[in-house]
Amino acid sequence: MPPPRPQPSCLSDFFAYETPKSVVVKSWVVGAVNRAVQLLILSYFIGWVFLHEKAYQVRDTTLESSVVTKVKGVGRYGDRVLDTADYVTPPQGTSVFVVVTRQILTENQAQGVCPESEATYRCATDRDCRGKSLTTGSGVLTGRCVPYNDTLRTCEIRGWCPPEVDTVSVPVMLEAENFTLFIKNSVRFPLFGFEKANLPPQASAEELRRCRFHPERQPLCPILRLGDVARFAGQDFAALATTGGVLGIKIGWVCDLDRSWELCLPRYSFTRLDGVTRHSPSSPGYNFRHARYYRGHNGTELRTLTKAFGIRFDVLVYGNAGKFGIIPTLINTVAAFTSIGVGTVLCDIILLNFLKGAEHYKARKFEEVPEASVPPAPSSPTAGAPGAMGDQSREKQSTDSGTSSLGL
């Protein structure tokens, strides 16, 4: 019978089978590296993944939050005394509100024509007003150059007259530094049905009225002094009240629900949100305009335009909650034991490339074995070659487990 024709090399490689071979390398260097890497990986998973990051927990990052605010305080502004209804907008007590600290008033404005107050619209003749944009900050140009005062002429506009002059000097209500802000925040984690509020559960109504927030002495008090909020954000209150600005009050809820309900507590932090644009020459600080409309004695519609500078407060609530779960625990445990195999990869790289005897190690680790030919079974017990029974007995008594031992 002719021998079988050899298979093509690429086809034989495709149908080849690889099986791990265990080689014991008796080397103090490689063994120390292997155990050190395993210990490092195990310490990482126990210390960082499980204890610090609490990867054994199911986490709920969907935070449902409600914020109610209330500002209290009375301040003197010029010859007037202002209360909360005068300087807080909007008045509904939302999570975003403004405390007005400086105002420029333009009273008794009415619809009509008048000279523009901006310096860029100064003119000598009507021709100077016709090459400009049709609209200004106060109205629509009529194309005429009219006297603004005894010595100055500007382009005429149609709109609310007289136009606003926002370069005048006005006082600042610095008493706002001592105003107080009460924040009532309720949160809920829907995955666990957990609800909590930022009000101290053991505090009485009288204690709550007297307390003032401090990050060390009274970190749970929900009443904050506005001057302290600016100081905690690293800002000067007087400068902030003059130009206006935006401050953020962040309330963080990071709760471990495997612990007691009372240990889920809010953490307050403060920052200035418009810090990037506060030095902008075109629009520094924070301001806005609003108007109050009314009728004059002759029935003419009039308004008082207010350019308000103030401190805007944004109450930002964030957080997440975690609770033990069997699925993330199993996933991260399997990942930990799987990652321990990185030590084997690193040791193989050292053995194959850097240690003395690397070629010897490669020869023992990677071995190619051809397919064994199985001889046909003998027709009778006595037909076998002499010594065949002895060979079979020796095969059965072999205790070779396929593990090689190298001493490097």
Side-chain angles (χ1 to χ4, degrees):
M1 182 177 181
R5 282 181 291 181
Q7 300 287 341
S9 177
C10 59
L11 189 62
S12 62
D13 290 343
F14 178 76
F15 287 103
Y17 169 71
E18 296 180 359
T19 182
K21 180 180 181 181
S22 179
V23 179
V24 179
V25 180
K26 297 181 178 180
S27 170
W28 284 95
V29 175
V30 179
V33 171
N34 183 40
R35 298 308 180 195
V37 172
Q38 290 178 346
L39 182 61
L40 185 64
I41 294 173
L42 196 61
S43 301
Y44 165 76
F45 273 91
I46 294 177
W48 178 262
V49 176
F50 284 97
L51 296 182
H52 186 271
E53 294 296 318
K54 295 182 172 60
Y56 58 87
Q57 291 183 332
V58 176
R59 306 209 71 81
D60 185 4
T61 57
T62 306
L63 177 65
E64 298 175 354
S65 173
S66 169
V67 175
V68 177
T69 59
K70 183 181 295 185
V71 180
K72 287 187 177 182
V74 176
R76 187 182 299 275
Y77 187 78
D79 58 351
R80 296 188 300 164
V81 176
L82 305 183
D83 60 12
T84 304
D86 298 315
Y87 59 77
V88 174
T89 182
Q92 290 84 5
T94 61
S95 60
V96 179
F97 62 93
V98 180
V99 175
V100 177
T101 55
R102 192 161 72 97
Q103 304 179 64
I104 299 176
L105 301 179
T106 307
E107 299 179 319
N108 299 323
Q109 284 187 320
Q111 287 286 324
V113 292
C114 55
E116 175 61 86
S117 62
E118 295 183 18
T120 56
Y121 291 94
R122 293 178 182 178
C123 60
T125 63
D126 292 349
R127 184 181 301 175
D128 298 332
C129 300
R130 290 170 186 165
K132 299 180 180 294
S133 175
L134 292 178
T135 60
T136 70
S138 303
V140 179
L141 290 175
T142 64
R144 299 175 55 200
C145 182
V146 296
Y148 181 78
N149 53 34
D150 295 338
T151 60
L152 183 65
R153 296 171 64 88
T154 63
C155 297
E156 185 183 61
I157 62 167
R158 179 176 295 277
W160 289 99
C161 297
E164 177 190 64
V165 179
D166 60 358
T167 57
V168 297
S169 178
V170 293
V172 181
M173 187 172 62
L174 295 178
E175 289 90 344
E177 184 175 8
N178 295 315
F179 294 171
T180 59
L181 168 63
F182 171 64
I183 303 176
K184 184 166 63 174
N185 176 217
S186 301
V187 297
R188 180 175 182 269
F189 294 101
L191 181 63
F192 307 117
F194 180 85
E195 298 179 349
K196 193 74 186 289
N198 68 325
L199 303 181
Q202 305 298 332
S204 63
E206 183 61 28
E207 291 174 341
L208 197 61
R209 281 193 295 267
R210 291 200 310 264
C211 78
R212 295 294 180 270
F213 174 84
H214 189 276
E216 297 177 358
R217 295 191 294 269
Q218 297 193 61
L220 300 179
C221 179
I223 300 178
L224 303 89
R225 182 174 165 271
L226 298 188
D228 292 338
V229 174
R231 181 166 55 86
F232 294 148
Q235 303 298 314
D236 178 68
F237 187 87
L240 197 63
T242 302
T243 61
V246 183
L247 296 180
I249 302 174
K250 297 187 288 185
I251 305 177
W253 296 86
V254 180
C255 299
D256 183 358
L257 301 187
D258 292 327
R259 305 169 68 187
S260 175
W261 179 86
E262 292 81 5
L263 297 178
C264 178
L265 301 173
R267 292 183 178 273
Y268 296 82
S269 58
F270 310 89
T271 185
R272 180 163 184 177
L273 300 178
D274 65 334
V276 177
T277 61
R278 61 177 173 171
H279 299 301
S280 172
S282 58
S283 180
Y286 175 81
N287 62 78
F288 62 96
R289 289 176 174 84
H290 63 93
R292 182 176 61 87
Y293 298 87
Y294 53 95
R295 293 284 178 178
H297 295 295
N298 57 357
T300 304
E301 184 183 30
L302 303 175
R303 77 172 188 178
T304 296
L305 178 66
T306 302
K307 182 177 182 180
F309 296 81
I311 305 174
R312 196 182 88 179
F313 295 89
D314 291 14
V315 182
L316 311 173
V317 183
Y318 68 95
N320 62 79
K323 197 172 185 179
F324 174 79
I326 188 63
I327 293 178
T329 301
L330 291 177
I331 291 175
N332 286 281
T333 301
V334 171
F337 284 107
T338 305
S339 300
I340 292 178
V342 174
T344 302
V345 176
L346 180 60
C347 291
D348 281 348
I349 293 174
I350 296 174
L351 283 172
L352 291 172
N353 298 278
F354 301 106
L355 285 187
K356 183 180 179 180
E359 295 300 326
H360 179 54
Y361 174 72
K362 290 180 184 178
R364 300 299 293 269
K365 180 174 176 62
F366 305 107
E367 182 178 356
E368 185 174 336
V369 180
E371 184 179 3
S373 299
V374 181
S379 58
S380 66
T382 59
M389 292 299 292
D391 291 342
Q392 294 176 6
S393 176
R394 282 192 298 271
E395 281 186 16
K396 293 181 180 180
Q397 294 176 2
S398 174
T399 59
D400 185 8
S401 63
T403 300
S404 301
S405 177
L406 296 179
L408 298 180

